Amino acid sequence: MTTTARAIATSPPEEVMAANPQGQSPPSLAEERQRLTRSRIRQAAMEVIARRGYDATVDEIAELSGVSPRTIFRHYESHDLLIAATVKDMFEAGARPIENLPSPADDLDGWLKGLALAAHTRNVEILGNAFWDLHAHNSQRSATLAELGAHRREYRRKAMRSLTTLAWRSAGGTGEPPQDLLLAFGLYLSAFTAHALTVDFDQTPAQNWDTHRRHLEDASPASGGGATLRRCCRRGWRSRGLIQAQHAPTGG
């Protein structure tokens, strides 16, 4: 796992980062130890599952985290619940804000570049081989793991809709973004695309972003006067009341 991916994976849960409400006692030593242990399990699980997919074992995660399998089972009742919780952690890690990403209203090209690069990097580094298991059909899987597919689909559809709407409005589009632009975002920011280019064509995420950026900019809308994102940007259209959203979701 790279330094960037490790930094995302090792970030403590939000409740650990949040300050204690005024007037409340700080967590006990036992509670802090429990949180630290869970964070170590979470970090190790993300790294092992990215490398081994659903075949990752509790013993492998225990060895990397430095805790015993028995301790892991105190936090997660079963292997499949551990896998499911970790994959959801991966989704959340992949959707964390991107540092230094410009506002799409001010620099649409720069926003698309940073978005595509971060999305493909996170798809490869965070999801890793777990991506393939997310999409594999296996009738032997438990209901817990089978539910991850539906969770991934719902998560990704919402994320792509949000990103497409933001880009469309930033480029001057009005109303709902056209369907073909939504599909363009869905295709070029997909983990399918990232993994196919990485595995089959030996490309790095950095080598992929320019192609995706050009296609996203030139995607021909089905509505809105036929104006592409690039044309809208050149004409200087700007949406009002834009709320900046700097996320790069993963998950297929």
Side-chain angles (χ1 to χ4, degrees), residues 69-166:
R70 178 177 296 180
T71 298
I72 291 178
F73 282 122
R74 283 203 293 267
H75 290 269
Y76 302 92
E77 294 181 4
S78 70
H79 167 272
D80 286 2
L81 286 174
L82 170 60
I83 296 292
T86 302
V87 170
K88 291 177 181 179
D89 284 341
M90 289 172 162
F91 291 155
E92 294 301 319
R96 293 200 177 179
I98 305 168
E99 293 183 3
N100 302 319
L101 189 68
S103 165
D106 298 328
D107 182 5
L108 186 62
D109 285 356
W111 181 75
L112 287 171
K113 171 184 176 180
L115 178 67
L117 179 58
H120 284 279
T121 299
R122 293 178 180 189
N123 279 329
V124 171
E125 294 184 353
I126 297 176
L127 278 181
N129 287 329
F131 162 80
W132 302 109
D133 285 332
L134 270 168
H135 299 87
H137 297 286
N138 188 336
S139 60
Q140 302 302 315
R141 282 191 184 149
S142 67
T144 298
L145 294 183
E147 289 174 0
L148 282 176
H151 177 82
R152 180 208 62 80
R153 184 173 184 270
E154 178 182 3
Y155 180 90
R156 186 163 185 271
R157 286 171 68 93
K158 288 181 179 179
M160 290 298 102
R161 172 67 64 178
S162 175
L163 287 171
T164 306
T165 301
L166 178 60

Side-chain angles (χ1 to χ4, degrees), residues 217-236:
E217 288 171 352
D218 296 333
S220 177
S223 60
T228 65
L229 283 177
R230 178 177 290 280
R231 289 171 186 163
C232 289
C233 196
R234 282 177 176 171
R235 291 176 65 176

Side-chain angles (χ1 to χ4, degrees), residues 1 4-17 33-50 56 58 60-62 64-67 71-72 75-76 81-96 126:
M1 189 178 255
T4 300
R6 186 183 298 276
I8 294 173
T10 57
S11 299
E14 295 300 326
E15 63 268 18
V16 177
M17 299 169 62
R33 286 177 175 171
Q34 186 176 40
R35 288 175 178 174
L36 177 59
T37 298
R38 192 176 185 89
S39 180
R40 292 179 66 174
I41 295 171
R42 177 176 178 267
Q43 170 194 345
M46 288 178 70
E47 185 165 344
V48 174
I49 293 171
V58 173
E60 289 173 314
I61 295 170
L64 186 60
S65 66
V67 304
T71 298
I72 291 178
H75 290 269
Y76 302 92
L81 286 174
L82 170 60
I83 296 292
T86 302
V87 170
K88 291 177 181 179
D89 284 341
M90 289 172 162
F91 291 155
E92 294 301 319
R96 293 200 177 179
I126 297 176

